[in-house]
Amino acid sequence: MTPLKVLSVASEIYPLIKTGGLADVAGALPGALKSEGIDMRTLVPGYPAVLAALEEAQQLTSFRGVRGGMARLLAGTAHNLKLFVLDAPVHFARPGNPYVGPDGTDWPDNAFRFAAFAKVAAEIGLGSLPGFVPDVLHLHDWQAGLTAAYLHYSGKTALPATVMTIHNLAFQGQFPAELLEPLGLPPAALAWDGVEHYGAIGFLKAGLQLAGWITTVSPSYAWEIQQPETGMGFEGLLRARRNRLSGILNGIDTQVWDPATDPRIAATYDAAHLSARAANKVALQESLGLHQEKDAPVAGVVSRLSWQKGPDLLLEALPVLLEEGIQLALLGSGDAEFETKFQEAAETYAGRAGVRLGYDETLAHRIQAGADMLLVPSRYEPCGLTQLCALRYGCVPIVARVGGLSDTVIDANEVALAAGVATGVQFSPVTADSLAAALRKAAWLFRNGAAWRVMQKNGMATDVSWRQPARRYASLYRELCGTQAEAQSTMSAA
Ligand code: ADP
């Protein structure tokens, strides 16, 4: 079988630039797809961090960008990733976060920045690089969404297959309708079956409307986004296109996240030597100023502190958590209000609640290795990665029954416990009361050591790697190419 060529269009990619789960997916997929016979290259914007990491860079083309500045398309590699990089200093030579300026608000020219990015993706899709003519364009989130529109309105009939993936529907890329012409789109595009979204131009809307297939990162989230309460204004479109929408779970890098070899943790261990986790618990308690009590269950949290992740629910349930004799080990950063409240909680409950504000990969590993359970009280969660890491580390996930959390954790209900298949605790609805009830149940299970051990081992035996997801993406690409080839041969026959 000749390898299928896929261009992944991603505005961030781990380990070069990351603000969320999208970067993890974009960074992991190319490697995971290799054994599936897929040659995936990734187009990324030329942020300073990307240009600095690029090796063997080769200039493929140079041109004047949408806003007049000069731009170059480079090819190169970084961390084993084959990249195309849009080096457009006028758009991307800015330090810090890729989407917001130093004052915390969106860069005012985001429409032009990501339109330029999408335009280049579409041109590659139309065959501008003879050395790499993709069969499929895989578009990630709103930053890549307009690619589908540039292809659709290109006037060409031989188009590559397209997949639009939603990593988080909350980020939609909405811009004023007056930008239609400056962005190089025809008047006809400003319609319900084009890029128009509630009177504006929607970059994500363009992708969802015009891509050949839509995926999101869990089957449950694929269902939730079709419902009025959780569809964030897209439920109608997504319901109409539900036969072209599927959920494919994310995986994690099981080499980076491997308790048997992890250099960041105090003591390595595997499922057959779970007692070796104890040293990690002691180290974690020590580093966060928690009392050295080996019988007190430690509940870890590794999270952005934003409304989505339910930090307010956790604060409300904190009295019950402490009453149950559970210690809290929280690592997070985000909204100032939540940061302050957790800091205050750490002072009020010194020795029982340990808090570290900031982003810290090492401590994230140490929490997974040393905590007994991981709390994920998200209000919505497209897939979620922290609970996958927790499963792998024998840290029992206590999760809200939403999105990918409900698809990846087997709740310790009566039947699952009796069958010995549970891997965690789910709670619903997503309220402080039901989180508190889940904490009570978790504390009870923890003290009943045997059931807890079974849950830890089941979690560690769960396949959270990219193997299955990569297989699903590969078969989706092949299916779409087959369909595309058929559609084109029917068109030329007619
Ligand atoms: P989201 O992408 O919505 O933030 P996910 O669970 O999908 O949530 O992915 C978050 C990733 O970022 C996980 O790998 C998690 O371990 C990591 N992470 C989140 N907050 C922190 C933090 N403060 N320090 C270190 N890693 C973090």
Side-chain angles (χ1 to χ4, degrees):
M1 217 182 318
T2 50
L4 213 61
K5 294 193 180 69
V6 180
L7 179 72
S8 171
V9 184
S11 62
E12 32 187 294
I13 189 163
Y14 181 85
L16 306 181
I17 178 122
K18 166 172 165 172
T19 73
L22 148 67
D24 292 310
V25 177
L29 258 187
L33 283 166
K34 245 180 236 161
S35 52
E36 300 297 322
I38 306 286
D39 177 7
M40 176 175 269
R41 318 262 172 115
T42 310
L43 174 69
V44 281
Y47 308 117
V50 171
L51 291 172
L54 200 65
E55 289 165 24
E56 299 159 23
Q58 220 191 321
Q59 179 174 320
L60 302 177
T61 54
S62 83
F63 53 93
R64 202 158 274 286
V66 179
R67 306 219 91 187
M70 282 308 290
R72 303 185 300 160
L73 183 62
L74 307 174
T77 59
H79 299 271
N80 282 331
L81 296 161
K82 292 183 190 168
L83 302 178
F84 294 121
V85 177
L86 174 58
D87 177 23
V90 66
H91 294 310
F92 303 119
R94 302 172 193 186
N97 184 291
Y99 317 122
V100 300
D103 64 352
T105 62
D106 289 353
W107 292 113
D109 57 348
N110 270 351
F112 291 100
R113 299 171 75 220
F114 293 101
F117 178 58
K119 189 88 177 56
V120 169
E123 279 161 10
I124 299 175
L126 292 171
S128 68
L129 301 179
F132 188 80
V133 180
D135 302 289
V136 182
L137 259 62
H138 189 159
L139 316 176
H140 297 278
D141 276 353
W142 72 265
Q143 296 88 344
L146 219 53
T147 308
Y150 287 128
L151 287 172
H152 183 79
Y153 297 107
S154 67
K156 304 274 172 20
T157 46
L159 301 176
T162 43
V163 178
M164 178 80 228
T165 293
I166 304 166
H167 296 272
N168 188 337
L169 196 60
F171 304 111
Q172 306 186 348
Q174 295 274 94
F175 300 99
E178 302 80 76
L179 294 184
L180 194 73
E181 200 191 328
L183 292 178
L185 290 164
L190 199 65
W192 72 268
D193 57 354
V195 306
E196 189 271 337
H197 191 50
Y198 296 96
I201 298 173
F203 280 29
L204 180 63
K205 153 73 195 271
L208 297 180
Q209 183 69 46
L210 300 170
W213 196 270
I214 302 166
T215 70
T216 188
V217 289
S218 69
S220 287
Y221 194 59
W223 183 85
E224 287 168 8
I225 58 181
Q226 297 175 51
Q227 313 309 313
E229 316 78 57
T230 38
M232 297 185 172
F234 279 111
E235 60 276 9
L237 191 170
L238 292 167
R239 219 169 313 144
R241 299 206 72 203
R242 65 184 176 280
N243 294 335
R244 307 211 130 247
L245 164 65
S246 53
I248 301 179
L249 283 168
N250 289 335
I252 55 170
D253 185 327
T254 47
Q255 282 177 343
V256 173
W257 292 97
D258 183 356
T261 57
D262 192 337
R264 291 167 155 133
I265 62 179
T268 54
Y269 60 95
D270 59 24
H273 304 91
L274 271 175
S275 53
R277 280 186 106 253
N280 292 306
K281 181 162 169 174
V282 170
L284 178 64
Q285 287 172 319
E286 208 171 82
S287 70
L288 288 177
L290 294 168
H291 296 314
Q292 296 277 340
E293 290 169 18
K294 80 175 171 21
D295 295 333
V298 173
V301 175
V302 180
S303 179
R304 286 188 287 120
L305 298 178
S306 71
W307 181 85
Q308 177 199 341
K309 304 286 178 181
D312 49 324
L313 306 178
L314 179 56
L315 284 162
E316 219 179 311
L318 200 55
V320 172
L321 182 146
L322 298 168
E323 202 179 284
E324 289 294 326
I326 304 173
Q327 297 182 341
L328 178 70
L330 179 138
L331 165 64
S333 65
D335 297 359
E337 175 202 344
F338 297 130
E339 292 197 351
T340 309
K341 286 190 174 151
F342 278 110
Q343 195 89 66
E344 283 167 5
E347 281 157 24
T348 311
Y349 305 110
R352 299 199 287 157
V355 168
R356 180 80 53 81
L357 300 177
Y359 191 92
D360 185 338
E361 296 265 352
T362 299
L363 184 55
H365 283 242
R366 290 182 180 171
I367 288 178
Q368 300 286 10
D372 297 292
M373 57 185 91
L374 187 88
L375 309 183
V376 196
S378 303
R379 289 189 163 88
Y380 69 93
E381 194 61 78
C383 177
L385 298 175
T386 46
Q387 85 281 11
L388 301 182
C389 302
L391 289 169
R392 181 136 172 93
Y393 275 62
C395 179
V396 175
I398 314 297
V399 303
R401 186 176 298 131
V402 295
L405 300 175
S406 57
D407 291 336
T408 53
V409 173
I410 302 177
D411 179 42
N413 60 35
E414 286 301 302
V415 186
L417 283 174
V421 297
T423 61
V425 175
Q426 295 188 355
F427 63 90
S428 171
V430 192
T431 60
D433 280 350
S434 94
L435 168 59
L439 288 167
R440 285 205 179 92
K441 181 171 180 178
W444 176 78
L445 284 165
F446 177 80
R447 297 202 160 97
N448 170 358
W452 194 261
R453 280 273 140 133
V454 172
M455 288 207 288
Q456 286 181 294
K457 290 191 176 182
N458 289 342
M460 294 179 85
T462 304
D463 183 3
V464 291
S465 75
W466 274 102
R467 202 172 23 217
Q468 285 303 331
R471 252 175 226 164
R472 299 227 158 93
Y473 279 114
S475 67
L476 173 63
Y477 300 150
R478 291 198 197 288
E479 207 174 295
L480 290 176
C481 287
T483 322
Q484 191 89 351
E486 260 169 50
Q488 275 168 12
S489 68
T490 321
M491 262 163 50
S492 51

